[in-house]
Amino acid sequence: QKSRGVPSSRRHREGCDQHRPGLQGGRGERTWGVAMRVGHGMEEELPDATSSLLERGRAAGMESHHYHSVAPHIDPDGTLAHHEPSDMDHMQDLGYVAHAPKHLRTTKQRWIALIVCCSACALASGPVGAWPTLEPLFIECGLFAGPNQNSNLNSVYGLATACSLAGSLPAGFLYDRIGGQKCALYGALFTSVGLLLMAAACFYPAQMSWAMFFGYPLAQFAGQINTYGMFAFIWLLPSHQNLVASCAGGVQSLSDMLALVAVASASKGLFIGSFLAIVSALSILAGLTCYLVVPTKATMMEFAAVSLGEEAAEAMALTSESQDKGGGGGGGG
């Protein structure tokens, strides 16, 4: 049925738009489109990639029915039922994911969680990247004392650098398998072990200098895995994905600044071994903090499904509108 060359389906959408104060032309209008489609079991209309992602979300223990929380109720006369403004604000604050953890429901909360994660990862990575700054402190404590001291120190640094570079592949594999939350936790715990081995080598250089060959590369590699926890926020802040991705490199540079703290502490009488032991304890605390604030793999996939579904729904809406206009022109002729 058509009236004045405009299909009834289009008139219905326009009627709904008039009853959506504050959502016209903005992100909320596009979100309403994806809620209408996915919330009523019409995800088969979405592109294959988005449908596949939705299926993966269900396999991780999620249901696509969370879209019902933002799907409108249509009265029998074809008009949109009234929603209280507080309900609308709640829908938008949820970021279109009704089952998001409480600390990740609003955009502001996600930014706070990311900042907390970055601060924790800076501690968990430790000052191990700034080897030239720490090397004089290691020499002062008698590490590898003897004619081969410089050679051994250079070998430790070279081994750790190789582990850090080659570790990118297994680190990415772990991230895909277990998600950013567990990467942040396990990375911090193993970093703590590496820092403890380094501290032991400094406390007992005559007996345990060899521990530096294991502790320093482990701390470097595990610290890299720990920073992968920040990549879990990419789909939670889809408009700032490049900024979120760049935080990993920024955190590693920030962690290297702890080496300056180690030098300043040494000038005040704090032994380098004690400093490394303190940072090791802080790494455990940082790992637990990351575990609490970093989204799980299932939550990240849920956010990704919503974000991709919204873009797909927007493209479908534009295509539908173009077809409606073409059909309307034909009817008028």
Side-chain angles (χ1 to χ4, degrees):
Q1 297 178 0
K2 297 182 180 179
S3 176
R4 298 181 182 179
V6 181
S8 59
S9 59
R10 183 182 175 190
R11 293 201 314 275
H12 176 69
R13 287 200 310 272
E14 293 174 349
C16 291
D17 291 342
Q18 295 175 359
H19 291 80
R20 285 185 282 159
L23 291 180
Q24 289 85 348
R27 189 177 182 87
E29 182 173 353
R30 299 197 305 273
T31 306
W32 205 278
V34 71
M36 295 276 292
R37 287 171 172 81
V38 183
H40 291 81
M42 297 178 64
E43 58 264 44
E44 66 274 5
E45 297 182 9
L46 299 176
D48 293 340
T50 304
S51 299
S52 176
L53 190 53
L54 289 171
E55 292 297 333
R56 291 170 62 186
R58 294 193 191 94
M62 302 171 302
E63 295 293 336
S64 64
H65 299 298
H66 66 269
Y67 290 95
H68 285 299
S69 62
V70 294
H73 174 71
I74 306 299
D75 287 336
D77 60 355
T79 61
L80 180 68
H82 175 69
H83 289 279
E84 294 296 331
S86 58
D87 294 337
M88 284 296 197
D89 295 339
H90 182 62
M91 293 171 190
Q92 291 178 321
D93 285 346
L94 288 179
Y96 326 127
V97 177
H99 300 302
K102 292 182 179 180
H103 68 286
L104 298 173
R105 288 186 175 179
T106 67
T107 302
K108 180 179 179 180
Q109 288 175 325
R110 292 170 210 154
W111 279 113
I112 294 175
L114 176 61
I115 293 173
V116 172
C117 177
C118 290
S119 302
C121 288
L123 288 175
S125 297
V128 293
W131 177 266
T133 306
L134 298 175
E135 190 173 13
L137 300 179
F138 294 146
I139 294 176
E140 184 179 349
C141 73
L143 193 66
F144 296 115
N148 297 323
Q149 185 179 52
N150 289 332
S151 176
N152 288 327
L153 290 173
N154 291 336
S155 297
V156 171
Y157 177 69
L159 178 62
T161 302
C163 290
S164 179
L165 294 176
S168 298
L169 184 60
F173 175 79
L174 286 175
Y175 176 81
D176 290 337
R177 295 287 295 179
I178 65 177
Q181 183 191 52
K182 292 183 179 180
C183 278
L185 175 63
Y186 298 155
L189 296 180
F190 280 103
T191 298
S192 177
V193 174
L195 290 172
L196 277 179
L197 289 174
M198 294 174 65
C202 293
F203 275 114
Y204 308 101
Q207 297 84 14
M208 295 194 64
S209 289
W210 57 266
M212 189 65 71
F213 279 100
F214 298 94
Y216 185 60
L218 177 61
Q220 279 277 67
F221 174 63
Q224 182 180 9
I225 295 178
N226 171 259
T227 59
Y228 273 55
M230 285 171 287
F231 292 127
F233 288 89
I234 285 181
W235 286 111
L236 274 69
L237 298 167
S239 299
H240 305 277
Q241 291 183 339
N242 291 329
L243 177 60
V244 174
S246 65
C247 287
V251 163
Q252 290 179 343
S253 298
L254 181 62
S255 67
D256 292 343
M257 298 296 293
L258 291 177
L260 300 179
V261 179
V263 173
S265 300
S267 65
K268 299 296 183 179
L270 182 64
F271 183 58
I272 180 61
S274 300
F275 178 82
L276 292 174
I278 293 173
V279 177
S280 174
L282 291 176
S283 295
I284 297 176
L285 180 61
L288 295 176
T289 301
C290 289
Y291 187 78
L292 294 176
V293 301
V294 175
T296 63
K297 182 180 180 181
T299 299
M300 185 193 69
M301 296 300 295
E302 189 175 6
F303 272 93
V306 173
S307 181
L308 293 176
E310 178 185 340
E311 298 300 327
E314 180 182 5
M316 291 169 56
L318 293 175
T319 302
S320 177
E321 182 178 357
S322 176
Q323 292 175 351
D324 287 346
K325 287 182 178 180

